[in-house]
Amino acid sequence: MNFRITKSLRGLLRDYQRFGFKWLKTMDYYKLGGILADDMGLGKTIQMLALLLSSRQEKGPAPALVVVPTSLVHNWCAELDKFTPELKYIVISGTKEERRELIGKIPEYDLAITSYPLIRRDIDLYSDISFRYCILDEAQHIKNPFSGNARSVKQIKAEVRFALTGTPMENNLHELWAIFDFVLKGYLYSYNKFTEKYIRAANEEDGQDVLND
């Protein structure tokens, strides 16, 4: 499939970023989620913005949600202003009542930006909203599948889910499972079956053989 980059971004993306954009478009086309795991500083945000802009132009407006560490909220705003001013975005912040009001306005925007601490507090307010995409930046923040972060983002209704992280697995295979359970639930089985099939088996046998199975 020949996915074309929006003209306004065509000269800004490097070759590997164009490849990443086309991969994101392919996953979106087949309604599959995915993990974009480029190293830090290689432009995961602009690749995702290219997808959002392309999707808006091809399919019309529909809101997407991005969940980020608190420290990166302003970075996303700056990238949006710089590279995709065509996209209307809203930042969910302020008091509980202010956030409730802002969340109610999300359908009017292309992208809503919130943080991991706030998504935990506000998750009930998102129950009536359906998103085109739910995107996790620094997705290692859900590496513990039993954490409040993980439980909250998995309740978001979205057609397609993406995770952005340079470290999809830092300490053990369960962290990778946790992210896949968000982007493609069931792809790596249940937590218990994954543990039995890969982690326990790898400890008992030749681990490389088990992972290649």
Side-chain angles (χ1 to χ4, degrees):
M1 285 166 284
N2 184 24
F3 297 117
R4 296 180 63 82
I5 300 169
T6 304
K7 186 176 180 180
S8 60
L9 293 176
R10 204 168 295 162
L12 300 177
L13 297 184
R14 298 175 180 176
D15 287 344
Y16 71 87
Q17 292 170 334
R18 294 190 190 98
F19 184 88
F21 162 78
K22 292 179 180 180
W23 177 81
L24 291 169
K25 289 287 288 184
T26 302
M27 295 299 101
D28 181 32
Y29 179 84
Y30 289 109
K31 299 300 180 189
L32 297 172
I35 303 172
L36 183 62
D38 289 346
D39 286 338
M40 182 176 65
L42 293 184
K44 294 185 288 294
T45 303
I46 193 172
Q47 292 174 64
M48 186 55 63
L49 294 182
L51 171 70
L52 294 176
L53 186 56
S54 172
S55 178
R56 185 186 189 282
Q57 293 179 345
E58 292 175 4
K59 303 177 185 179
L65 176 69
V66 61
V67 185
V68 307
T70 304
S71 61
L72 292 184
V73 169
H74 293 298
N75 180 71
W76 270 81
C77 295
E79 297 278 284
L80 279 154
D81 292 338
K82 181 178 180 179
F83 296 115
T84 55
E86 305 95 325
L87 294 175
K88 290 177 58 180
Y89 67 89
I90 186 171
V91 176
I92 310 302
S93 62
T95 66
K96 183 75 171 183
E97 286 308 310
E98 289 171 337
R99 299 198 306 273
R100 184 189 300 273
E101 183 177 349
L102 291 169
I103 290 169
K105 296 179 180 179
I106 284 176
E108 304 171 20
Y109 291 82
D110 299 307
L111 180 64
I113 305 170
T114 192
S115 65
Y116 287 102
L118 291 183
I119 199 71
R120 295 197 305 268
R121 300 176 198 170
D122 298 338
I123 189 59
D124 291 345
L125 302 178
Y126 289 87
S127 60
D128 293 331
I129 306 176
S130 295
F131 293 95
R132 179 172 286 165
Y133 307 109
C134 182
I135 303 155
L136 303 186
D137 196 6
E138 300 293 341
Q140 65 272 17
H141 281 256
I142 66 162
K143 67 182 181 181
N144 177 355
F146 307 108
S147 66
N149 284 345
R151 293 180 186 276
S152 297
V153 297
K154 290 173 187 178
Q155 295 180 53
I156 296 294
K157 299 172 186 173
E159 295 178 24
V160 180
R161 299 165 180 260
F162 287 110
L164 313 180
T165 174
T167 52
M169 186 178 69
E170 295 177 301
N171 300 302
N172 58 68
L173 284 172
H174 279 133
E175 296 173 352
L176 183 63
W177 180 90
I179 299 177
F180 264 107
D181 193 53
F182 166 75
V183 297
L184 282 171
K185 189 171 182 63
Y187 182 74
L188 292 183
Y189 312 105
S190 67
Y191 181 87
N192 289 336
K193 186 172 181 180
F194 179 81
T195 300
E196 187 70 30
K197 183 175 177 64
Y198 292 107
I199 296 177
R200 290 179 183 167
N203 290 335
E204 295 171 0
E205 303 174 17
D206 184 329
Q208 191 62 48
D209 288 344
V210 171
L211 295 176
N212 288 336
D213 187 9

